[in-house]
């Protein structure tokens, strides 16, 4: 018997699928559609194990749904713009376009080697002008509709690289690449008005039941709807007022200070005459703008010397600080601090020796002994204390009373606010989609005429100078104004790459359409029925995509409000980490595991230290190259291991033993089929009139497995489906055919096995199907259907209860007569002991479920 040779077999069947154009998708209104999509990759150079897991999960669904009769769309493309290409251009003196295209070619070959059922005819790359031309048109439509605008905003500015940095690129206050101290700088930036849809984006989350609950919660928190009150604090001795917004205005009598953002107009005015304030404002500008940065820094302030008057007691004067933890872009750029009931405020108050007055007494606490220590009391229920006319009210009642009074006297306004801010889309980079705007001194901001789209990136750019190459290109940015023909200049900012990924799924429906989307194709395929990707994209990418669809619909494009009907977020692929004696990271290839459990360094024999299993990353060198696994074991082994080792929504630990186990199972299935061929009737032979007990048991196992695997795939329980396949393989291996009927049952079980593993190990399935005499491709065959009579056990186990408590079980034939069930149940020893001679009032038999004895 020959061994299964994955290398030869996989290439053969990939060629067969391509020749038959098996995975090409076309609109067909006579068939139900199913759109399966995995988040498309950035072409960084090579695929990694996270890609293997992601695309295997989606491919199983695509192949399964195709077998269930759906018209499946399963496309692939490349999220091809971004800063890594510019970094490569600087480091390796290679053009970003060349670097990107080389990487796409490499990764495309690797993805094809996985045997994915992709429609490559729909491939897109976001860096192609025929892709981003439509994006530029969309932006101009948004501009007309008031959904795009330009304004000055505070950004992280790297003075060496001369570019805006995302919050994530500011490390310890310095630019991640240059190491320069980052400044906050006010720049004119382009924004998309995502806040116009805040309410809708939030409310519609309830209409996405096939999204993970934690993702919906993350988006809910990010949008951050709050109901509160805005009002003014008057500044003592002057005309200035400080407007604040709070959702906890019930704590107004616990206020001990006012904190202003460094960019607040009052703070700016003070900084013009106060050198210490000016220095502090400069210090604040060296902090990143992200909430994460604000939350983790030491809370510091500068006392302005101003005092704010308490709105209900003018004798109480609150010190006014400029604080490093207040952002101008959130709320009003000013807060009142209530240290007793907010940890951030408490930390600040303790630092500057400010008063801490508790004003909400939690239920069950004694007012006389209640005090605030190192931790604030943030419970939002209780009774008001130390609060004048609010004493004795509950929190809700106190909020209402404060709101009524402030509305009358201090400009109080009830407001709904959102944490969500408009999306800043300007990037001072070359490798991105050009913003289609021209700046004219006479005409102002002028959209590029539609006939002149796309605005293409110039290819003759210089990366030797710091900053954006488009800024110092000698000719590209100089153009005549489309309105007045006077000299003007192009916008040199490019778009945030999140824009490209916010509509690519709709482009896949009609990737060659001249208008961006063919309406008929879009209406047929959208929304995506099953989207698969990492939890790290749970907020921004998904939220931006949801906004983009709404904005496109507003501008007349044929897309649905919600782009993704179903969402699945897979876990990460992890591996042990290793270090040498000097603490340097080692790759898995550099170490060897000994029989005694020790791990040694191959080159020296010295013992290596073994760290915890962590997400595979280049920085810790705990990566396994998928190409090596596919070359050694085959793509099906990699796919099978990704599905079998753990639930797909949890992290998976990559182990050599697990991969070798998957390889052995491939070989075992191959042997099962090859070894049984001589015992099988011809393919398509009629069913015998009867079967023996053992053949019937095998048939039952096969049909129960069909039912179980079908349910498991529908629910993304792939590891359970794998376990069921193992069980059926065990039953097939144990079966010894003794006649024609047995041979027929064995063929049925083997064909069932082949079709059930088809979505998971497609190359092996095709090879085994051909060996069994199958004519059509497994990829084109229908999913096996379970015989309901065979999929149900003849014998079932019933629970036997006495007065509602479980006292035993009894095995009976399905649909056994009630009298017989009663007799068998009452004969159980534990049931007899529980009855203990007491008279039985009645015995309730629920057919095929439970027996309850009532005394």
């Amino acid at each position: 018997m020959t061994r299964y040779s994955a290398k030869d077999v996989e290439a053969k069947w990939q060629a067969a699928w391509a020749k038959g154009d098996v995975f090409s998708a076309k609109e067909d209104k006579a068939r139900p559609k199913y759109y399966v999509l995995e988040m498309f990759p950035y072409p960084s150079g090579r695929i990694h194990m996270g890609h293997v897991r992601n695309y295997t999960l989606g491919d199983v669904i695509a192949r399964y749904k195709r077998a269930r009769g759906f018209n499946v769309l399963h496309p692939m493309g490349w999220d091809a713009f971004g800063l890594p290409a510019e970094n490569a251009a600087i480091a390796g003196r290679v053009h970003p376009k060349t670097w990107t295209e080389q990487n796409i070619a490499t990764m495309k070959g690797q993805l094809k080697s996985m045997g994915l059922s992709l429609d490559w005819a729909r491939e897109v790359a976001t860096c192609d002008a025929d892709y981003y031309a439509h994006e530029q048109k969309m932006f101009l439509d948004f501009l007309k509709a008031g959904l795009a605008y330009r304004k000055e905003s505070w950004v992280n500015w790297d003075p060496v690289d001369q570019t805006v940095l995302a919050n994530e690129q500011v490390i310890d206050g310095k630019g991640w690449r240059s190491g320069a101290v980052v400044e906050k700088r006010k720049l004119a930036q382009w924004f998309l008005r995502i806040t116009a849809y805040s309410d809708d984006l939030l409310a519609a989350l309830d209409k996405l039941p096939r999204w993970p609950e934690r993702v919906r919660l993350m988006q809910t928190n990010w949008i951050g709807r709050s109901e509160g009150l805005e009002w003014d604090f008057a500044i003592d001795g002057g005309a200035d007022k400080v407007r604040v917004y709070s959702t906890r205005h019930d704590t107004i009598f616990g206020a001990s200070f006012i904190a202003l953002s460094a960019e607040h107009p009052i703070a700016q005015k003070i900084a013009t005459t106060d050198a210490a304030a000016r220095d502090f404002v400069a210090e604040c500008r060296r902090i990143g703008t992200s909430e994460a940065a604000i939350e983790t820094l030491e809370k510091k302030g500068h006392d302005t010397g101003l005092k704010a008057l308490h709105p209900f007691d003018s004798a109480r004067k609150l010190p006014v600080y400029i604080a490093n933890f207040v952002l101008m872009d959130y709320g009003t750029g000013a807060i009142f601090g209530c240290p007793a009931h907010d940890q951030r405020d408490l930390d600040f108050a303790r630092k500057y020796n400010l008063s801490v007055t508790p004003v909400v007494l939690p239920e069950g606490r004694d007012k006389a002994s209640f005090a605030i220590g190192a931790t604030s009391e943030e419970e939002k229920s209780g009774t008001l204390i130390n609060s004048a006319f609010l004493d004795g009210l509950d929190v809700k009642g106190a909020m209402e009373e404060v709101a009524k009074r402030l509305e009358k006297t201090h400009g109080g306004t009830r407001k709904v606010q959102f944490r969500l801010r408009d999306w800043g889309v300007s990037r001072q980079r070359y490798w991105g989609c050009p913003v289609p705007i021209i700046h004219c001194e006479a005409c102002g901001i002028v959209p590029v005429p539609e006939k002149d789209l796309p605005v293409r990136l110039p290819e003759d750019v210089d990366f030797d100078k710091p900053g954006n190459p488009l800024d110092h290109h000698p000719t590209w940015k100089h153009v005549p104004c489309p309105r007045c023909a006077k000299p003007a200049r192009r916008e040199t900012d490019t778009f945030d790459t999140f824009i490209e990924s916010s509509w690519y799924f709709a482009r896949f429906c009609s990737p060659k359409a001249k208008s961006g989307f063919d309406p008929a194709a879009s209406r047929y395929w959208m929304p995506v029925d099953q989207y698969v990707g990492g939890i790290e994209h749970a907020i921004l990418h998904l939220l931006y995509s949801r906004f983009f669809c709404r904005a496109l619909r507003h501008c007349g494009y044929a897309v649905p409000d919600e782009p993704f009907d179903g969402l699945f977020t897979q876990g990460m692929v992890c591996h042990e980490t290793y270090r040498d004696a000097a603490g340097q990271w080692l790759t898995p290839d550099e170490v060897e595991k000994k029989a005694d459990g020790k791990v040694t360094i191959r080159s020296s024999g010295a013992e290596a230290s073994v760290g915890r299993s962590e997400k595979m990353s280049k920085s810790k060198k705990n990566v396994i190259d998928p190409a090596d696994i596919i070359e050694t074991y085959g793509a099906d082994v990699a796919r099978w291991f990704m599905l079998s080792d753990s639930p797909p929504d949890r992290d998976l630990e990559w182990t050599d033993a697990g991969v070798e186990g998957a390889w052995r199972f491939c070989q075992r299935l191959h042997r099962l089929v090859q070894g049984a061929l001589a015992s099988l009737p011809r393919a398509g032979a009629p069913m015998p009139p009867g079967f023996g007990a053992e053949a019937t048991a095998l048939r039952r196992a096969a049909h129960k497995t069909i039912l179980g695997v079908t349910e498991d795939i529908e629910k993304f329980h792939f590891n359970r489906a794998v376990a069921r396949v193992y069980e059926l393989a065990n039953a097939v291996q144990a079966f010894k055919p003794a006649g024609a009927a047995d041979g027929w049952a064995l063929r049925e079980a083997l064909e069932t096995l082949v079709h059930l593993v088809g979505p998971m190990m497609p190359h092996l399935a095709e090879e085994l199907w051909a060996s069994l005499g199958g004519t059509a491709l497994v990829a084109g065959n229908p999913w096996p259907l379970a015989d309901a009579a065979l999929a149900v056990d003849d014998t079932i186990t019933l629970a036997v209860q006495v007065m509602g408590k479980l006292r035993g079980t009894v095995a009976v034939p399905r649909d056994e007569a009630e009298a017989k069930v009663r007799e068998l149940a009452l004969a159980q020893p534990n049931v007899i002991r529980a009855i203990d001679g007491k008279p039985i009032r009645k015995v309730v038999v629920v057919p095929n479920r439970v027996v309850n004895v009532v005394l």
Side-chain angles (χ1 to χ4, degrees):
M1 190 183 301
T2 59
R3 293 182 71 182
Y4 175 67
S5 173
K7 192 169 185 179
D8 297 329
V9 166
E10 291 182 353
K12 176 176 73 175
W13 291 112
Q14 287 167 18
W17 296 328
K19 183 179 179 181
D21 201 21
V22 176
F23 308 126
S24 176
K26 297 177 180 61
E27 291 88 62
D28 181 359
K29 292 184 179 179
R31 297 168 62 199
K33 68 93 180 178
Y34 201 89
Y35 185 175
V36 182
L37 184 64
E38 303 87 31
M39 294 179 183
F40 66 166
Y42 179 76
S44 56
R46 300 180 68 81
I47 66 170
H48 53 69
M49 281 301 175
H51 290 132
V52 174
R53 193 179 200 196
N54 184 212
Y55 300 129
T56 296
L57 296 177
D59 197 53
V60 169
I61 293 295
R63 288 177 176 273
Y64 165 76
K65 288 294 184 179
R66 193 176 286 110
R68 292 302 301 265
F70 287 89
N71 185 22
V72 173
L73 173 59
H74 188 208
M76 177 57 69
W78 310 96
D79 194 8
F81 274 138
L83 194 56
E86 287 195 47
N87 293 340
I90 295 168
R93 305 196 69 80
V94 58
H95 195 282
K97 181 179 180 182
T98 303
W99 184 82
T100 300
E101 289 176 346
Q102 289 172 346
N103 290 348
I104 287 175
T106 298
M107 293 177 68
K108 184 175 181 178
Q110 291 179 310
L111 291 178
K112 284 189 170 182
S113 74
M114 287 179 59
L116 303 172
S117 59
L118 295 165
D119 183 357
W120 283 106
R122 294 174 181 262
E123 179 184 12
V124 301
T126 61
C127 63
D128 290 343
D130 62 356
Y131 181 88
Y132 66 73
H134 303 295
E135 183 173 308
Q136 292 173 342
K137 170 65 164 57
M138 293 171 197
F139 175 78
L140 296 179
D141 288 338
F142 292 174
L143 192 62
K144 284 182 194 172
L147 294 172
Y149 64 95
R150 196 167 188 256
K151 73 168 185 177
E152 285 193 329
S153 72
W154 290 99
V155 296
N156 301 312
W157 179 258
D158 186 316
V160 172
D161 280 349
Q162 295 183 27
T163 186
V164 169
L165 300 179
N167 288 324
E168 294 75 19
Q169 295 169 324
V170 179
I171 310 298
D172 296 328
K174 298 178 180 179
W176 68 287
R177 188 171 65 187
S178 71
V181 174
V182 169
E183 305 168 358
K184 281 182 186 170
R185 181 175 289 191
K186 210 166 193 179
L187 289 182
Q189 302 274 289
W190 288 100
F191 287 83
L192 296 183
R193 206 179 299 278
I194 189 173
T195 55
Y197 295 95
S198 297
D199 270 320
D200 186 38
L201 288 166
L202 182 62
L205 288 169
D206 291 337
K207 301 174 184 176
L208 297 171
R210 293 181 55 235
W211 280 39
E213 178 59 32
R214 66 171 176 162
V215 173
R216 289 189 289 168
L217 180 60
M218 289 166 75
Q219 289 216 358
T220 296
N221 292 337
W222 188 265
I223 295 168
R225 185 183 189 277
S226 64
E227 296 182 10
L229 190 73
E230 248 184 28
W231 73 94
D232 295 324
F233 279 89
I235 297 297
D236 188 29
D240 286 333
K241 294 181 179 180
V242 177
R243 173 146 286 224
V244 300
Y245 170 82
S246 177
T247 59
R248 290 299 308 274
H249 37 285
D250 57 299
T251 64
I252 184 65
F253 283 96
S256 67
F257 65 92
I258 299 292
L260 309 176
S261 163
E263 314 308 337
H264 193 281
I266 293 177
Q268 291 290 291
K269 184 167 70 172
I270 291 172
T272 60
T273 57
D274 181 340
R278 187 162 54 251
D279 290 343
F280 184 74
V281 167
E283 179 184 335
C284 292
R285 287 178 179 171
R286 291 193 290 270
I287 302 167
T289 60
S290 72
E291 286 187 68
I294 300 300
E295 284 299 317
T296 55
L297 58 78
E298 180 189 0
K299 309 303 184 287
K300 296 167 70 174
H302 171 79
D303 190 347
T304 65
L306 299 177
K307 302 291 183 182
L309 301 178
H310 193 283
F312 296 127
D313 183 357
S314 59
R316 291 183 61 182
K317 298 177 181 181
L318 311 178
V320 179
Y321 285 80
I322 304 170
N324 64 354
F325 58 87
V326 183
L327 292 175
M328 195 64 209
D329 286 344
Y330 288 84
T332 63
I335 65 161
F336 81 85
C338 179
H341 302 288
D342 184 281
Q343 188 63 44
R344 177 197 58 190
D345 296 350
L346 180 62
D347 294 341
F348 189 83
R350 297 295 190 207
K351 183 177 181 69
Y352 294 104
N353 297 315
L354 303 173
S355 64
V356 178
T357 304
V359 291
V360 178
L361 181 68
E363 292 180 16
R365 301 291 294 274
D366 178 32
K367 179 182 177 181
S369 61
F370 181 56
I372 301 297
T375 305
S376 63
E377 176 54 65
E378 299 187 20
E379 181 62 42
K380 295 181 180 180
S381 63
T383 303
L384 271 290
I385 57 173
N386 303 321
S387 297
F389 56 84
L390 299 178
D391 283 354
L393 295 176
D394 61 14
V395 167
K396 186 176 180 181
M399 292 175 75
E400 181 61 26
E401 184 62 27
V402 169
K404 286 179 180 177
R405 296 197 182 205
L406 289 179
E407 282 173 329
K408 289 180 180 178
T409 59
H410 288 77
T413 306
R414 299 175 200 251
K415 284 193 73 173
V416 172
Q417 290 231 116
F418 292 89
R419 180 174 173 270
L420 182 66
R421 293 295 176 263
D422 280 342
W423 175 11
V425 296
S426 293
R427 299 293 180 268
Q428 289 68 40
R429 300 175 189 148
Y430 163 71
W431 194 235
C433 172
V435 179
I437 291 294
I438 292 170
H439 297 277
C440 174
E441 295 220 357
C443 304
I445 291 173
V446 182
V448 172
E450 190 174 335
K451 66 180 178 59
D452 294 336
L453 299 180
V455 176
R456 296 174 183 269
L457 285 171
E459 296 195 15
D460 55 334
V461 287
D462 179 10
F463 289 95
D464 290 337
K465 298 178 183 177
N468 182 357
L470 295 178
D471 269 331
H472 47 72
H473 191 282
T475 60
W476 180 82
K477 67 179 181 179
H478 301 295
V479 291
C481 173
R483 289 182 184 162
C484 70
K486 292 179 181 178
R489 64 175 183 85
R490 292 189 190 281
E491 173 67 73
T492 57
D493 285 354
T494 55
F495 283 133
D496 178 5
T497 55
F498 271 116
I499 288 190
E500 284 87 62
S501 59
S502 293
W503 65 280
Y504 79 106
F505 43 84
R507 181 64 174 168
F508 277 140
C509 299
S510 50
K512 303 294 190 292
K514 293 182 179 180
S515 60
F517 313 123
D518 174 75
S522 184
R523 291 189 185 101
Y524 177 78
W525 290 114
M526 288 294 289
V528 175
D529 295 281
Q530 187 62 64
Y531 200 34
V532 183
I535 192 69
E536 66 271 19
H537 298 296
I539 297 177
L540 295 185
H541 163 58
L542 293 172
L543 190 63
Y544 291 157
S545 297
R546 298 179 63 219
F547 156 71
F548 227 79
C549 280
R550 286 163 168 78
L552 288 172
R553 276 180 64 85
H554 179 82
C555 294
Y557 290 83
V559 293
D561 280 349
E562 292 296 340
F564 313 119
D565 186 53
L567 173 68
F568 186 85
T569 53
Q570 85 276 3
M572 297 180 294
V573 182
C574 304
H575 197 288
E576 282 182 334
T577 51
Y578 311 104
R579 292 184 191 236
D580 63 15
Q584 298 298 308
W585 298 105
L586 300 167
T587 68
D589 287 341
E590 292 177 301
V591 302
E592 181 179 3
K593 292 189 176 182
K594 300 293 187 179
D596 61 2
K598 290 183 178 179
V599 177
T600 60
I601 302 172
R602 291 182 188 275
S603 60
S604 65
E607 190 170 348
S609 64
V610 181
R612 65 182 183 180
S613 180
E614 297 187 43
K615 177 187 176 182
M616 288 187 182
S617 68
K618 291 179 182 177
S619 63
K620 294 183 179 176
K621 293 190 175 181
N622 61 335
V623 295
I624 300 293
D625 190 339
D628 292 342
I629 299 299
I630 292 171
E631 175 69 21
T632 305
Y633 297 103
D636 282 346
V637 167
R639 292 169 63 113
W640 187 255
F641 178 71
M642 287 294 177
L643 297 166
S644 63
D645 196 62
S646 64
D649 57 335
R650 298 182 190 170
D651 292 349
L652 176 150
E653 183 170 0
W654 184 273
T655 63
D656 292 341
V659 177
E660 288 164 4
W663 178 79
R664 286 195 299 272
F665 186 66
C666 279
Q667 296 294 333
R668 182 183 171 202
L669 281 184
H670 185 254
R671 288 195 303 272
L672 278 178
V673 171
Q674 296 299 320
L677 291 177
S679 306
L680 304 180
R682 63 177 175 81
M687 182 189 294
F691 296 93
E694 291 182 355
T696 299
L698 180 62
R699 295 194 68 214
R700 286 191 182 282
H703 285 265
K704 287 173 67 177
T705 305
I706 293 171
L707 209 62
V709 170
T710 301
E711 182 178 346
D712 289 337
I713 292 178
E714 291 281 358
K715 294 181 177 180
F716 268 76
H717 296 160
F718 299 129
N719 58 314
R720 292 188 194 174
V722 166
R724 294 183 201 274
V725 169
Y726 276 123
E727 291 174 2
L728 180 56
N730 291 340
V732 169
Q733 188 166 357
F735 184 70
K736 306 300 178 186
D742 286 359
W744 195 97
L746 180 57
R747 170 177 278 281
E748 181 187 40
L750 287 169
E751 290 182 354
T752 297
L753 262 178
V754 167
H755 281 92
L756 294 182
V757 301
M760 300 179 252
M761 294 192 285
H763 309 90
L764 177 63
E766 297 287 7
E767 186 72 4
L768 298 182
W769 181 242
S771 298
L772 288 166
T775 51
L777 292 167
V778 173
N781 275 347
W783 189 249
L785 297 176
D787 183 323
L790 289 170
V792 176
D793 285 327
D794 277 347
T795 302
I796 58 173
T797 301
L798 303 183
V800 182
Q801 300 174 342
V802 177
M803 296 299 290
K805 292 186 178 181
L806 181 66
R807 297 300 184 182
T809 60
V810 59
V812 299
R814 179 172 291 279
D815 298 324
E816 178 65 280
E818 185 176 321
K820 185 64 175 178
V821 171
R822 186 184 297 111
E823 176 188 337
L824 293 170
L826 294 176
Q828 296 298 307
N830 284 347
V831 174
I832 293 172
R833 280 194 289 273
I835 294 173
D836 194 27
K838 299 184 183 69
I840 297 172
R841 291 173 54 198
K842 61 179 176 178
V843 178
V844 179
V845 177
V846 180
N848 300 321
R849 292 184 62 188
V850 66
V851 179
N852 189 27
V853 180
V854 181
L855 303 179

